[in-house]
C-alpha cells in the first residue's frame, strides 16, 4: 500500500491491539519472572481499546491524524494506569504530535510517528539506550525508519516498516547482554543475563503489529 488514509488509521492500530491480545499470556509470563507480571494485560487492554478511542475522536479531529492520535492517547492513559501504560500512551501522544496536520500516512509520516513515539517513551520514562527497557527496541526502530526516509524521501510504507521491524528485533536481541537499572529486574540483574527484556519484546510487538497491517493490505 502507498498510503494509509485518515479513516484507515484506527484499523492500523487495531492490528497492534490484536497482536497484543494474542501475545498477552506470553508477555505476562515473561514479566512474572522479572517484573510485576501484568505486562501482557497492560499492552492488550491499552492497544485493544485504542482503535475505538480513535474512532470516537475522529469527527472532532477534522481529518487530522495527529489530533486524533493525541486525544486518543490521552484517553488511553486512564485505561492503563501503570508505568508501561503511561509510557505507551505518552508515546502515542508524542507520535500524534509529530503527525499534526497530516491527513494520510506515507513512509515519511510513519517514520515521523515512530520517532515521536520513541521520544515519548524516553520523555516519560527518563530512560537512555542500553538500560534494558522498551526504549532499546523502539529507538532503533525509529532511527532505522528515519534513515530509510533520509536515504530515499519517497520510501514506501513497506520499506520503512521493514527497516523499523528489523532494527527493533536486533534491539531486543541486544538487551540480552544489558544490565537492567529499573524495577525488579535491577534487583535480580544476574537472572537477566541472556534473557531478552520483556519491555523491549513488547516494543517489538508494537512495530510488528503495525507491520502486519501494512504488509497484508
Amino acid at each position: 500500500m502507498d498510503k494509509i488514509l485518515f479513516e484507515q488509521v484506527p484499523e492500523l492500530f487495531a492490528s497492534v491491539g490484536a497482536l497484543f491480545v494474542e501475545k498477552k499470556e506470553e508477555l505476562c509470563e515473561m514479566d512474572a519472572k522479572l517484573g510485576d507480571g501484568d505486562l501482557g494485560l497492560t499492552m492488550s487492554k491499552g492497544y485493544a481499546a485504542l482503535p475505538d478511542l480513535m474512532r470516537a475522536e475522529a469527527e472532532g479531529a477534522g481529518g487530522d491524524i495527529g489530533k486524533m492520535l493525541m486525544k486518543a492517547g490521552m484517553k488511553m492513559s486512564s485505561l492503563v494506569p501503570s508505568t508501561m501504560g503511561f509510557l505507551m500512551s505518552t508515546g502515542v501522544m508524542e507520535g500524534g504530535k509529530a503527525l499534526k496536520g497530516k491527513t494520510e500516512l506515507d513512509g515519511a509520516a510513519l517514520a515521523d510517528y515512530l520517532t515521536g513515539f520513541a521520544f515519548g517513551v524516553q520523555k516519560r520514562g527518563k530512560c537512555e539506550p542500553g538500560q534494558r527497557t522498551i526504549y532499546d527496541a523502539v529507538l532503533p526502530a525509529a532511527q532505522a525508519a528515519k534513515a530509510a526516509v533520509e536515504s530515499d524521501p519517497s520510501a514506501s510504507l513497506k520499506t520503512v516498516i521493514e527497516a523499523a521491524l528489523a532494527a527493533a528485533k536486533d534491539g531486543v536481541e541486544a538487551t540480552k547482554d544489558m544490565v537492567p537499572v529499573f524495577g525488579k529486574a535491577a534487583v535480580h540483574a544476574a537472572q537477566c543475563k541472556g534473557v531478552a527484556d520483556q519491555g523491549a519484546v513488547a516494543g517489538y510487538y508494537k512495530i510488528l503489529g503495525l507491520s502486519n497491517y501494512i504488509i497484508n493490505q
Side-chain angles (χ1 to χ4, degrees):
M1 62 192 315
D2 297 325
K3 57 189 175 183
I4 298 171
L5 305 178
F6 174 83
E7 57 269 22
Q8 294 175 308
V9 176
E11 292 303 316
L12 170 66
F13 284 87
S15 176
V16 178
L19 183 61
F20 276 123
V21 169
E22 177 188 330
K23 301 294 186 179
K24 179 173 68 174
E25 295 305 322
E26 175 192 321
L27 289 172
C28 283
E29 287 175 10
M30 289 184 70
D31 197 41
K33 296 173 183 176
L34 295 167
D36 296 326
D38 61 353
L39 179 60
L41 294 172
T42 296
M43 303 304 284
S44 59
K45 183 178 181 181
Y47 276 105
L50 185 58
D52 281 340
L53 295 176
M54 294 170 69
R55 293 182 185 106
E57 298 296 336
E59 186 174 349
D64 186 330
I65 293 172
K67 189 174 181 180
M68 178 171 63
L69 276 169
M70 284 188 285
K71 291 197 170 186
M74 193 176 299
K75 290 187 175 180
M76 179 187 179
S77 66
S78 65
L79 293 178
V80 281
S82 64
T83 300
M84 183 60 83
F86 291 138
L87 289 176
M88 292 301 94
S89 56
T90 303
V92 170
M93 285 188 280
E94 290 293 336
K97 191 181 293 185
L99 296 178
K100 197 171 181 181
K102 295 283 187 182
T103 58
E104 59 186 37
L105 294 181
D106 57 8
L110 178 61
D112 287 340
Y113 169 78
L114 293 173
T115 300
F117 182 86
F119 171 74
V121 168
Q122 193 280 328
K123 175 183 175 182
R124 187 62 186 252
K126 304 292 191 293
C127 47
E128 298 298 334
Q131 294 181 330
R132 192 181 157 91
T133 69
I134 184 174
Y135 193 52
D136 290 303
V138 299
L139 177 63
Q143 291 172 332
K146 211 65 177 171
V149 173
E150 288 172 356
S151 175
D152 176 11
S154 62
S156 67
L157 284 164
K158 183 175 182 288
T159 296
V160 171
I161 199 62
E162 285 181 343
L165 188 63
K169 187 174 183 179
D170 288 344
V172 170
E173 190 65 24
T175 64
K176 293 179 179 180
D177 296 319
M178 294 177 186
V179 178
V181 297
F182 298 108
K184 292 182 180 178
V187 179
H188 305 287
Q191 297 177 32
C192 297
K193 184 68 176 176
V195 179
D197 176 67
Q198 65 270 29
V201 172
Y204 169 75
Y205 284 155
K206 157 74 185 261
I207 309 298
L208 180 59
L210 297 173
S211 176
N212 287 344
Y213 180 84
I214 291 168
I215 300 300
N216 293 326
Q217 287 299 304

